[in-house]
Amino acid sequence: EPYEINLMEELTLKGVTQYYAFVQERQKVHCLNTLFSKLQINQSIIFCNSTQRVELLAKKITELGYCCYYIHAKMAQAHRNRVFHDFRQGLCRNLVCSDLFTRGIDVQAVNVVINFDFPRMAETYLHRIGRSGRFGHLGIAINLITYEDRFDLHRIEKELGTEIKPIPKIIDPALYVANISGCSGEA
Amino acid sequence: SSANVSGPDAEDNLPEWAMENPSEVGGTFDASGAFHGESGDDEGHKIENQSRNQSD
């Protein structure tokens, strides 16, 4: 039986409710801390735009008292694989990383994706937030947007034909917590 | 997991948030999606912290 290794399924944003929060650069960690305390995170992936920022942010999150792994492109592949395997096993709730996912996130338990740094390219945004499979995935994506990111936000929205709304004070758990909505996590 | 940034000018190219001490008090978001962190300019209500060590 031949083993198919590259199915190249379409990535979709279906089922993922996307929000943005306007924030100043120096307040980003405070904003992230606020999100951690407001959201019902099953598992989260947090994206940064450089390997240095990945390591710095992981250190900050750990200092705040949250469990957090990190992986980035400059780590040895074997080390990355081991950390990601442990994350997928659920050994840690939060993963900080740079752009490594080319076929979308295939970890069902991840119900929150945070762009701590907003990407420049629509393709990068799709690889970070998008899920493979026709039904997509129940979850939310939150984009931290600085003054400099505002044009990228609107351009990527247009390019992907998607909608990214201002983050509300309270986010309906049914949008991203599977057992509340009574469905198995498919949109 | 200590950051591998060292040397005399390391402080210069650190992002601003890396040098801030995130206050314990939670912030809030207004209707436009803007984050308000300083307690001075928002209601600054205290958000009870969930259990911090969420490793299960």
Side-chain angles (χ1 to χ4, degrees):
Chain A
E1 190 58 41
Y3 179 63
E4 288 181 81
I5 54 170
N6 190 351
L7 303 180
M8 283 314 289
E9 261 185 293
E10 274 295 309
L11 287 181
T12 178
L13 294 171
K14 210 179 289 178
V16 180
T17 307
Q18 301 161 78
Y19 298 113
Y20 66 79
F22 284 132
V23 63
Q24 296 167 45
E25 180 72 13
R26 66 181 177 78
Q27 290 186 310
K28 278 189 168 182
V29 173
H30 189 184
C31 181
L32 184 64
N33 193 15
T34 300
L35 293 172
F36 278 166
S37 63
K38 279 177 179 275
L39 298 176
Q40 296 178 46
I41 296 177
N42 187 53
Q43 278 194 291
S44 80
I45 295 182
I46 302 152
F47 286 97
C48 293
N49 283 352
S50 79
T51 56
Q52 179 207 31
R53 291 169 74 94
V54 164
E55 290 200 8
L56 287 169
L57 181 57
K59 185 166 174 278
K60 277 287 179 183
I61 291 173
T62 305
E63 285 168 6
L64 287 171
Y66 296 100
C67 172
C68 156
Y69 287 168
Y70 71 86
I71 52 176
H72 57 61
K74 286 184 181 158
M75 289 163 69
Q77 181 73 48
H79 183 192
R80 277 202 323 246
N81 291 349
R82 194 171 61 249
V83 172
F84 191 65
H85 171 269
D86 290 350
F87 175 72
R88 192 198 289 272
Q89 296 299 307
L91 297 186
C92 190
R93 192 179 296 276
N94 308 295
L95 175 68
V96 184
C97 61
S98 58
D99 289 302
L100 297 167
F101 301 96
T102 51
R103 288 178 54 203
I105 300 164
D106 60 352
V107 182
Q108 282 294 321
V110 170
N111 64 333
V112 175
V113 176
I114 296 172
N115 275 325
F116 186 83
D117 296 329
F118 196 66
R120 293 282 171 270
M121 311 288 291
E123 188 185 2
T124 307
Y125 183 87
L126 189 56
H127 286 156
R128 289 183 177 185
I129 310 295
R131 301 299 180 109
S132 56
R134 265 178 306 119
F135 298 110
H137 178 85
L138 195 65
I140 56 174
I142 298 174
N143 300 283
L144 301 194
I145 301 295
T146 63
Y147 187 73
E148 292 73 28
D149 295 324
R150 67 200 186 288
F151 295 121
D152 290 330
L153 173 69
H154 297 307
R155 176 174 46 79
I156 286 178
E157 248 188 319
K158 295 294 166 284
E159 277 184 38
L160 296 176
T162 191
E163 185 190 15
I164 306 174
K165 299 176 276 196
I167 188 169
K169 275 198 186 322
I170 296 172
I171 296 176
D172 178 2
L175 292 170
Y176 69 107
V177 182
N179 44 26
I180 280 185
S181 66
C183 60
S184 62
E186 286 166 59
Chain B
S1 60
S2 63
N4 59 4
V5 177
S6 55
D9 59 355
E11 198 67 26
D12 302 342
N13 56 29
L14 281 182
E16 292 171 77
W17 50 262
M19 295 176 281
E20 287 274 321
N21 220 330
S23 78
E24 291 304 305
V25 174
T28 184
F29 302 98
D30 67 22
S32 74
F35 174 69
H36 297 278
E38 276 77 25
S39 44
D41 64 4
D42 61 11
E43 304 102 71
H45 56 273
K46 181 151 181 54
I47 290 179
E48 328 77 40
N49 276 314
Q50 288 172 357
S51 62
R52 279 295 183 73
N53 288 314
Q54 298 172 336
S55 55
D56 37 15

